[in-house]
Structure formats: structure tokens, C-alpha cells
Amino acid sequence: MRKLDLSPSRFSTDFFILLPMAAIFLGRFFMLPNLTAVWFYGWVLFEGIIVFYSMSRLAINFLSEGGKITIFGIENFVLVLLLIIFVIVNLFIHGFNVLAISNSVNWFASIAMLLLIPALLEPINATMKQKLLKKITVILNFYFWLNVPLIFLEGFGLIPMANKFLGFNSFLPDQTTGLIGFNGTGTVAVFWLLLIACNFTYLKRTHSMLLRANFFIEIILMVYMSMNLNEIKSFVPLTAVLLFFLLAIPSLSQFNFLNFMKGFFGLLLVIIVAMVSYSSFPSLKQSMDKLMMLVSQIISLTSTDPSNERSYIASLIFNNYNGKGSGIGIANLNENTQNIHIHLGMNDFNVLLISSGLLFFILLCLTVASFIGRFSKDLNFFNANVIVILITGYLFLLAVATRPFSDPSIFFFTMLLYLPLQRLNSQILSDRDLKRESLI
């Protein structure tokens, strides 16, 4: 059978990437919370289109390649299959009803966006990937500088943008998000993290002082806003994890002694800067102390302090609601009427732990990380899996902080991390090949 041209069109990339970005940046503020149903079902429709498009491309590819899985990856295929088996077993043990269908759509529909990686982003050529990443980076930077003044004006009470949301959630920092809108701190955080990754990728190829200054000024502003205006306490540690990962990619993409030493000294520099910042800024020290206590309590699942809600709820679920097994069942948790804890739905970790158990949560993080992290066929087995494990840890922290799997806005920006990571890896491999050619 003649091999078909599977390269996605420019229209496809713009439709599946730029359209949802425009919806988040321009529509979210006006639609939530009054038009939540329209917003939600709009995303469900979009995710349905993604599934149809991706499965069609996968089927065509499968047939044209004579039955080989070439754009999906056998590892990802196995992980998705395991997730489906876990859900079926959960429904078999705990029952199946209308609530199970509703919860499955609410919690897992966004994960369909992962199919865009093998079906849309991976098959396009290097030039198209570079142009798409540049377009995304320009849009993210433009929107950041558009939104920063609004967040500052909101935070200092100089404009009433957030007032219309206070009747639904009166905690002002949760609404200090500029044009992102209602309860948008999680979306703001992942938008900033994606922006950092995109800018970092371009810094590897440019000596422009303006772009370097922009990179560092943006991070300083992000840290200030997250600590003083919208209280995104998880942003600093998530940024540290992301930067560590970005600095480690050269060592993982091309492992040799020189890259190992570069990675080692890069990590050492990050640790020194972190220690100086920790000791110099009392508010940062206080936030980090609380965060480290939270992480240790979640890992140990021994918190008995109700004031530390994230770790307390996780401990409650693990010890009293079968969190170590399969939870209470997808069919048995109604987030709107449950009386386990008023803030049970503050993050995906709690919701997935109580409905499906710890093992399912880990498998879900691993599956998402596998799609995002397997961005190069040139990575050997060990290095590829180290990258997947690092991204799994990043997703774990993200799921403790917010709702990256069930909120489509947050998941969309998380999924797009594939592009800067892939581009960074491709730059490293290109430099390696150029050096080899110069030696011949």
C-alpha cells in the first residue's frame, strides 16, 4: 500500500492550538461563572472533535504503514489501555450509574487533548514546529504584558474587574487574574509556566539582551504577583522544578561527561540562588516552609491539622475512604453534594484519590507525562524514562496545587509543554550533529 502523506495542514495546527488559546484568553473572563455550562460543553465538543480527528489520522497511519503503530507509540498505547482497564474495574467494583458517566466526562474528557501530540504536533516537520512555537511564544508574551497591569490594578484595588466574581467566591486573590477571570489562578500559573519554558527555549538560540532581560523581568513579576497579589503559593516550587528540568535536558538528550558537568553546575547554581532567596526574603521563606510541610505531610499521609487543608484532606481520604485501594468509586462521588470536606474539590489529587485510589492517580500522571515527555526518538530508553519520571513529579505537584486534569484550560497549557521541550531537545541534537560534521 502506498504511504500516505500524514503531515497536518497549517489550518489544523491553527484550529487545534490557536482557537482554544483564544477562547481561554478572550472568552473565559466573560463566560465564567454565569455561562459555565456553555463553556464546559463547548470544551467537550472540541475534545470530541480532537478524538475524531486523531483517531482518523491514527487509523490512516496504521493502514499506510502496514499495521505499525508509528505516530502513537507503543508505550503510550499500553498506558492508555491500562487507564481504561482501571476505570472499567473501578466501575465493576463500585457500580455504574449516570453519576459515573458525568464524573468521567468532567474529570477525564480534557485528557483527549493528549491525542494532539501524536496526531498533530509530532508529524509536522521541524520548520512548521518552529513557526508554531514562535507564534505561541509571541502570543503568550503579548498577553502576559497585557495582563500584568490589570493584575496589579486589581490587586491594589484600583479597578473593579474582580468585583463581579466576588459574589461566587469572596476571596479576592482567587479573582486577581486580570483577563483570565473567575477562579483563574490555576490557569494563570500554568500559562506562566508554559511562557517560561517557551522563552527559555529561545534563549538557547539568541544573544539578544532584550529577550534575556524580558525573560528575567517576567519571572520576577510572576514571583511577586504569585506571592503578594493572587497568592499562587505553588508557583515558585513549580517554577523551580520546571527550570531544573529545562537545565537537565541537555544532559539527558546527549549524555556525556561535559554535559553532565554542565548540568551539575547548573543545578548547583539554581540551589545557591534558591538558598540566597530563601534566606533573604521572609515572605518567600514562610511560603516555602509551609509548602515543604505540606509536601511531607501529603507523602506521609499523616496530617491531623485541619488548617492545612490539602494534606489534611489527602490523609483523611487515604486513611478513611480507601485511598490506598480503589477509593469509593467514580460512581459514588458527587462533588456538589458530598459532605466529606467543603474544599474536597480544590485539587485533582483529592478528587482522584477518593474516587479511584492512589495507584490510578499515579498511572494517570505517568500517562500524561509519557505523551509530553517522549518528544524524541533519539533518546535512549533510560534517558527517555528519566524525563517521563521528572514530568510525572511535576504533574503530581501540579495536581496537588490545582486541577490540571479536569480543567480544560489548565490541561491545554500543560499539554503544550511538549512543544518547547521538543524544540529544546531538537536544538541540542542539531548542535551535536554540527559538531560531528566539523570533525569529519
Side-chain angles (χ1 to χ4, degrees), residues 168-193:
F168 301 92
N169 177 359
S170 59
F171 188 56
L172 181 61
D174 283 350
Q175 316 305 336
T176 309
T177 59
L179 290 171
I180 296 293
F182 179 66
N183 285 354
T185 52
T187 304
V188 168
V190 290
F191 153 49
W192 288 351
L193 290 164

Side-chain angles (χ1 to χ4, degrees), residues 13-25 39 43 46-47 50 110-111 113-114 116-117 120-121 132 136 140 187 190-191 194 372 403-419:
T13 55
D14 287 350
F15 177 80
F16 286 112
I17 303 301
L18 300 186
L19 178 64
M21 193 176 293
I24 295 167
F25 284 160
W39 175 259
W43 275 104
F46 178 70
E47 288 147 3
I50 289 174
S110 297
I111 299 170
M113 283 186 266
L114 282 180
L116 290 176
I117 293 176
L120 181 73
L121 300 179
L132 179 61
I136 291 171
L140 293 179
T187 304
V190 290
F191 153 49
L194 176 62
I372 297 172
R403 305 201 64 164
F405 303 122
S406 56
D407 186 316
S409 304
I410 298 176
F411 191 84
F412 175 75
F413 286 128
T414 303
M415 178 272 297
L416 280 185
L417 274 176
Y418 168 86
L419 277 173

Side-chain angles (χ1 to χ4, degrees), residues 10 13 131 139 163 191-192 209 225 244 258 265 267 278 283 294 318 370 381 390 393 404-405 427 436:
R10 181 177 174 181
T13 55
K131 288 181 178 178
I139 293 171
N163 288 358
F191 153 49
W192 288 351
M209 293 303 297
M225 289 185 288
F244 165 73
L258 179 60
F265 283 112
L267 175 60
Y278 176 82
S283 57
L294 171 66
F318 195 79
S370 181
F381 179 81
L390 287 172
F405 303 122
Q427 289 173 353
R436 286 179 178 176

Side-chain angles (χ1 to χ4, degrees), residues 2-9 53 57 60-61 64-65 71 123-125 128:
R2 183 174 63 87
K3 184 176 179 180
L4 300 176
D5 180 13
L6 294 174
S7 300
S9 66
Y53 172 83
R57 288 183 52 80
I60 293 171
N61 180 85
S64 67
E65 293 290 339
I71 66 166
I124 60 179
N125 59 48
M128 281 189 68

Side-chain angles (χ1 to χ4, degrees), residues 121-159:
L121 300 179
E122 185 180 331
I124 60 179
N125 59 48
T127 302
M128 281 189 68
K129 282 178 185 172
Q130 186 174 354
K131 288 181 178 178
L132 179 61
L133 179 61
K134 184 176 181 180
K135 193 182 297 183
I136 291 171
T137 304
V138 169
I139 293 171
L140 293 179
N141 276 284
F142 174 79
Y143 191 81
F144 176 83
W145 286 110
L146 176 67
N147 213 34
V148 163
L150 299 177
I151 292 177
F152 271 88
L153 291 171
E154 278 183 313
F156 289 112
L158 299 176
I159 57 174

Side-chain angles (χ1 to χ4, degrees), residues 2 11 13 42 48 99 130 165 180 197 200 239 311 334 347 365 369 394-395 401-402 415 423:
R2 183 174 63 87
F11 172 80
T13 55
L99 184 59
Q130 186 174 354
F165 305 126
I180 296 293
F200 183 91
T239 301
S311 58
N334 188 323
N347 59 28
C365 288
Y394 171 82
L395 291 172
T402 185
M415 178 272 297
R423 179 60 185 163

